[in-house]
Amino acid sequence: GALLGLFCFYLSFEFLVVSTLPMMTEVVPEARATFMGTVIACMSLGRALGGLLSAPLFAHGLEANLIVSLIFNLGAMLALWQLNRRGIV
């Protein structure tokens, strides 16, 4: 059961990462390379921050990880909402 769940998680994550490549190249066609570099840099920054924050947060329990990830996700949703409202995305 757990191995199957882990397999499905990794498969869906890889599908998400690979499927963002063609979508991100069409957002700003005149600056594809710049936009792809920015997106990949932001993904790497998110991965680095997650790695730095998760271990100390886990010492405070799983709920601390949940609350911090909820805050980050709400912040991302707010940023996307603002960009959509301004017509950028």
Side-chain angles (χ1 to χ4, degrees), residues 38-82:
T38 303
V39 167
I40 292 177
C42 288
M43 288 171 66
S44 298
L45 179 65
R47 187 176 296 161
L49 284 176
L52 287 173
L53 292 176
S54 64
L57 280 173
F58 193 71
H60 296 290
L62 195 58
E63 291 82 17
N65 274 325
L66 174 83
I67 291 169
V68 171
S69 65
L70 180 67
I71 290 169
F72 276 121
N73 281 316
L74 288 174
M77 286 175 58
L78 179 66
L80 283 173
W81 178 69
Q82 287 290 328

Side-chain angles (χ1 to χ4, degrees), residues 8 27 30 37-39 41-42 50 56 66 71 76 79-80 83 86 88-89:
C8 290
V27 174
E30 61 275 1
T38 303
V39 167
C42 288
L66 174 83
I71 290 169
L80 283 173
L83 290 172
R86 294 179 184 167
I88 298 173
V89 175

